[in-house]
Amino acid sequence: MTITTMKKIMLLMALWSATMLSAQFAPQIINVEARKTTSLNGVWKTTVDPFENGYYDYRWKPMKNGYGADKDITDKTTLYEQNFANERTLIVPGDWNTQRSEFYYYEGTIWYRKRFNFTPTENKRTFLYFGAANYEAIVFVNGKELGKHIGGFTPFNFEVTGLMKKGENSVVVKVDNKRAFEAVPTVNTDWWNYGGITRGVTLIETPATFVRDYYVQLKKGDKNTISGWVQLDGKQLDKSVNVEIPELKIALQLKPDANGYATFECKAKPNYWSPENPKLYTVNIVTDDDVVTDQIGFRTIETQGTKILLNGKETFLRGICIHEEAAFRNGRIFSKEEDITLLEWAKDMGCNFVRLAHYPHNEQMVRQAERLGLLVWSEIPVYWTIQWTNPATYQNAENQLTDMITRDKNRTNVIIWSIANETPQSAERFSFLSRLAAKARSLDPVRLVGAAMEKEEVKPGLMTLKDELSKVTDVLSFNQYVGWYDGLPEKCDRVNWTFSEQKPVIISEFGGCAVFGMHGGTTDRFTEEFQEDLYIRSINMLKRVPGLAGVTPWILKDFRSPRRQMRDIQDDFNRKGVISDKGEKKKSFFIMQKWYEELKKQYNK
Ligand code: GCB
């Protein structure tokens, strides 16, 4: 062998090991709970770093040996100005604002560090998965920077095969929740910007070629055909893959194409999922060395004129809006139990529908709603005034939409993907949002596309929806606050509604504030009596809305918002909840409960 050939071989080997070791952003792996995992949840060391000194040097250049290197202090001669070992901790998952009183209003960077023992399994691949980190996360594994993820409510994962070693490993994450004009959401929102690694962190081990993603749903408008696809990931992409639904006696063998993608379609007569019968089937996606099991239901969803048809039957969406904020303690939800508390309250009110506002909630929220028979409106935080002409802002919004749909597209209860909330009309906004709507439909041809738009008073007492975006959405969905931001509750008695399009109308928000236990006259703002009267009059008005197919009052529970500053009344909370932040039901809750009882009888005849 000549020296040049040897050099070539060595170069090739070096390149090979470099690619083997190179960690990268990997396409989202779905249904993480069904895989072989190691949880990295629990106690993490943290460093508060408002000036980002752990990442940038004094010339504002990224540093080689910043905090991500996770160095141990071994001698006294070297200068260190930070030491994870000696630092305080935070719990993951969880927001930082509610874990330590000094972080109540903190927005900026906090570094997280976890050291743990791990033994990679031979011939398996390893991925590092984050349920969500708000807002920007830069991730390091054993000192190597893997990449940056932007967006506070969607999952992301990196492949770390070859980077994890037997014995102690380190993961460091720089999380930054500073608000920014180009971000999604932008600087101004009516909810608190909880920072941190707010959802779980997991190591996933998979076979060399594995089932990364799949879509199993009834075909659009066809109650008797299940169709979908499977996506393999790895080198042996042509291996056969089976889709099994044992209870329906379905067992299909698929042969993926060169990209590891296989589609299928088969006849079936499932017992349909509905709020009254939230039936789920065990579905197995199987290869020779991988199996992913899911619980999937089957239903059709479509519109016909002003009606919403679920399994072909007209349905009224008896809903409520929900923020992903925990009952009783406030703060971002960090457990399934906390999801269930909110969903049970919605059930108690008589709901068959929840609007998960204003961003994708955690995966368990959607899964538990599915189990409880609650239909879902799922939304991305394109909220108020974002930068419509900024291509990076568009890409960010599209990524969040894509990640939300990727994660939840097999959830039978999700019926509407919402692309925006109360965005001001302009040609630029129209082109941005029409692109997003088209993207949603290309990723999921089955569900409806909506957006929370805004009503307009075209002449005194006559309201309508005058928004070009309604030509793009499947439903005429909009927020309206007649009686709160628009006049007093008595205005509801004088208002009528008209629409030029024949589509189902969903009132995606209405309501007003009340402090639980504060009493007074029906025109005294912030009293329970005011809110109760507003709900009574709003309901009477809503009954006059032509084509009304659903409502989601704002909101289930009082929630933290820095915009709400009135002392002893708001105290940093938006008080529009029908339940207080301490779990007390206000009078308005019972007004809704009564109306939903009537609607249930009317529609379930
Ligand atoms: C809205 C927004 C929602 C606010 C609510 C309010 O229209 O969509 O995010 O919290 O009004 O209370 O003003």
Side-chain angles (χ1 to χ4, degrees):
M1 203 184 292
T2 62
I3 297 206
T4 14
T5 329
M6 265 179 70
K7 269 193 184 155
K8 267 190 198 158
I9 290 173
M10 278 166 67
L11 187 71
L12 277 173
M13 280 176 66
L15 276 174
W16 174 80
S17 71
T19 42
M20 283 300 287
L21 286 176
S22 84
Q24 53 181 321
F25 249 123
Q28 191 194 134
I29 299 174
I30 69 160
N31 193 7
V32 171
E33 288 213 340
R35 301 170 189 269
K36 182 170 186 276
T37 56
T38 305
S39 169
L40 299 185
N41 292 342
V43 178
W44 288 53
K45 290 283 189 183
T46 53
T47 295
V48 190
D49 186 17
F51 284 14
E52 301 178 70
N53 290 324
Y55 196 79
Y56 298 105
D57 66 14
Y58 78 125
R59 302 288 187 218
W60 205 249
K61 298 239 161 51
M63 282 183 296
K64 257 217 178 77
N65 275 322
Y67 299 171
D70 192 12
K71 288 266 188 287
D72 280 320
I73 298 188
T74 48
D75 67 277
K76 287 189 176 169
T77 58
T78 314
L79 174 64
Y80 288 100
E81 296 194 81
Q82 179 265 2
N83 178 12
F84 277 121
N86 196 29
E87 283 281 3
R88 296 179 65 187
T89 57
L90 285 169
I91 302 291
V92 171
D95 69 82
W96 61 54
N97 304 96
T98 56
Q99 291 194 48
R100 273 197 238 152
S101 56
E102 68 267 33
F103 293 157
Y104 185 77
Y105 282 121
Y106 185 69
E107 293 180 290
T109 283
I110 291 187
W111 292 81
Y112 287 73
R113 197 276 312 265
K114 182 86 175 171
R115 290 215 182 149
F116 55 96
N117 282 316
F118 185 71
T119 307
T121 316
E122 225 177 295
N123 301 322
K124 297 272 186 210
R125 293 167 69 188
T126 314
F127 295 85
L128 177 61
Y129 178 94
F130 292 81
N134 190 33
Y135 168 80
E136 186 183 287
I138 302 180
V139 179
F140 304 78
V141 164
N142 293 328
K144 184 180 161 66
E145 183 171 334
L146 304 187
K148 182 202 286 187
H149 179 264
I150 294 175
F153 303 95
T154 40
F156 54 99
N157 45 229
F158 299 92
E159 175 148 17
V160 292
T161 312
L163 272 185
M164 304 301 298
K165 48 185 203 240
K166 188 171 185 299
E168 193 176 65
N169 288 274
S170 142
V171 174
V172 174
V173 190
K174 174 185 182 294
V175 183
D176 183 356
N177 76 332
K178 269 196 304 299
R179 286 166 294 128
F181 286 101
E182 70 278 12
V184 180
T186 182
V187 289
N188 192 20
T189 58
D190 188 21
W191 71 86
W192 177 252
N193 176 32
Y194 289 113
I197 304 182
T198 50
R199 297 183 189 153
V201 185
T202 313
L203 280 175
I204 309 171
E205 274 197 296
T206 72
T209 298
F210 70 101
V211 176
R212 187 182 74 219
D213 197 359
Y214 51 86
Y215 182 65
V216 183
Q217 292 282 282
L218 282 180
K219 203 172 163 182
K220 187 153 185 86
D222 183 346
K223 282 178 88 173
N224 297 315
T225 305
I226 294 176
S227 71
W229 49 262
V230 178
Q231 177 67 60
L232 298 182
D233 188 313
K235 292 218 168 69
Q236 205 195 326
L237 291 172
D238 59 350
K239 63 160 78 183
S240 74
V241 51
N242 294 357
V243 174
E244 304 168 351
I245 312 176
E247 215 183 318
L248 291 175
K249 303 205 168 26
I250 291 173
L252 307 169
Q253 195 178 51
L254 317 180
K255 198 80 198 144
D257 64 16
N259 299 315
Y261 181 75
T263 57
F264 66 89
E265 197 166 296
C266 68
K267 291 284 163 206
K269 279 214 178 322
N271 182 352
Y272 299 107
W273 184 99
S274 70
E276 297 75 35
N277 174 43
K279 166 74 186 157
L280 299 175
Y281 288 88
T282 297
V283 176
N284 303 315
I285 316 285
V286 187
T287 68
D288 58 341
D289 60 355
D290 197 16
V291 51
V292 181
T293 297
D294 209 338
Q295 299 295 317
I296 296 181
F298 300 102
R299 56 94 194 90
T300 58
I301 184 74
E302 60 208 312
T303 64
Q304 190 183 73
T306 59
K307 292 178 183 159
I308 290 178
L309 305 183
L310 181 74
N311 299 322
K313 186 172 168 260
E314 185 181 2
T315 301
F316 189 94
L317 304 174
R318 306 185 308 268
I320 185 82
C321 294
I322 302 183
H323 260 299
E324 196 199 336
E325 193 182 84
F328 308 114
R329 67 168 181 88
N330 305 306
R332 271 278 166 269
I333 280 181
F334 59 59
S335 72
K336 186 158 91 183
E337 290 66 34
E338 290 187 325
D339 293 327
I340 293 174
T341 302
L342 297 184
L343 297 171
E344 292 282 10
W345 283 347
K347 289 286 289 184
D348 185 16
M349 198 168 104
C351 292
N352 61 3
F353 182 51
V354 287
R355 174 181 175 211
L356 301 181
H358 280 300
Y359 38 75
H361 287 209
N362 71 81
E363 183 172 352
Q364 278 301 325
M365 181 73 97
V366 186
R367 284 186 179 268
Q368 296 309 319
E370 184 175 51
R371 199 177 56 76
L372 290 169
L374 287 163
L375 295 156
V376 163
W377 158 308
S378 194
E379 183 163 317
I380 51 168
V382 173
Y383 183 92
W384 292 353
T385 49
I386 68 159
Q387 293 184 344
W388 306 111
T389 53
N390 183 337
T393 301
Y394 177 80
Q395 199 48 56
N396 180 351
E398 192 185 284
N399 291 347
Q400 296 193 44
L401 179 77
T402 304
D403 286 333
M404 169 177 79
I405 296 178
T406 301
R407 194 193 71 181
D408 291 342
K409 64 189 172 303
N410 291 309
R411 301 285 68 79
T412 322
N413 57 335
V414 177
I415 53 169
I416 297 173
W417 301 123
S418 172
I419 52 174
N421 179 80
E422 287 186 353
T423 48
Q425 297 190 34
S426 69
E428 294 76 21
R429 168 264 201 178
F430 181 75
S431 94
F432 186 113
L433 292 180
S434 334
R435 258 178 94 188
L436 276 187
K439 181 71 187 178
R441 292 194 172 101
S442 76
L443 293 166
D444 175 22
V446 165
R447 291 171 177 84
L448 310 177
V449 172
M453 293 175 267
E454 290 172 293
K455 56 106 168 118
E456 212 173 300
E457 189 160 5
V458 271
K459 56 180 186 191
L462 188 65
M463 304 280 181
T464 191
L465 178 64
K466 240 170 106 186
D467 186 335
E468 227 193 325
L469 187 62
S470 70
K471 304 212 163 44
V472 174
T473 55
D474 292 303
V475 285
L476 305 180
S477 38
F478 58 90
N479 303 343
Q480 70 79 21
Y481 282 93
V482 177
W484 182 259
Y485 293 123
D486 180 1
L488 283 167
E490 59 79 32
K491 182 167 179 186
C492 297
D493 308 347
R494 295 181 277 114
V495 161
N496 284 306
W497 297 81
T498 179
F499 303 101
S500 54
E501 282 172 278
Q502 282 285 303
K503 289 184 183 178
V505 173
I506 298 178
I507 309 286
S508 36
E509 286 179 32
F510 70 92
C513 297
V515 179
F516 174 80
M518 190 164 132
H519 297 290
T522 54
T523 52
D524 297 340
R525 295 231 181 211
F526 294 104
T527 63
E528 282 200 58
E529 286 71 20
F530 184 108
Q531 195 193 37
E532 179 187 38
D533 184 54
L534 173 59
Y535 266 80
I536 295 171
R537 290 173 195 266
S538 296
I539 291 168
N540 285 333
M541 175 185 71
L542 295 177
K543 288 180 179 166
R544 297 195 300 276
V545 172
L548 188 71
V551 296
T552 49
W554 190 256
I555 185 171
L556 183 67
K557 179 188 86 69
D558 293 352
F559 61 96
R560 205 178 136 191
S561 167
R563 298 170 62 83
R564 310 296 171 176
Q565 295 165 344
M566 190 115 91
R567 218 167 145 210
D568 294 332
I569 290 187
Q570 295 174 308
D571 296 319
D572 257 356
F573 278 81
N574 182 314
R575 298 277 177 212
K576 293 195 186 65
V578 292
I579 300 180
S580 78
D581 56 303
K582 307 210 167 43
E584 299 133 329
K585 291 181 175 127
K586 304 179 195 172
K587 285 169 178 282
S588 54
F589 177 93
F590 300 100
I591 301 297
M592 282 310 300
Q593 195 180 47
K594 188 160 156 271
W595 186 34
Y596 281 171
E597 204 44 55
E598 283 165 28
L599 283 166
K600 229 185 271 181
K601 288 193 193 124
Q602 201 179 317
Y603 280 82
N604 286 346
K605 276 197 297 241

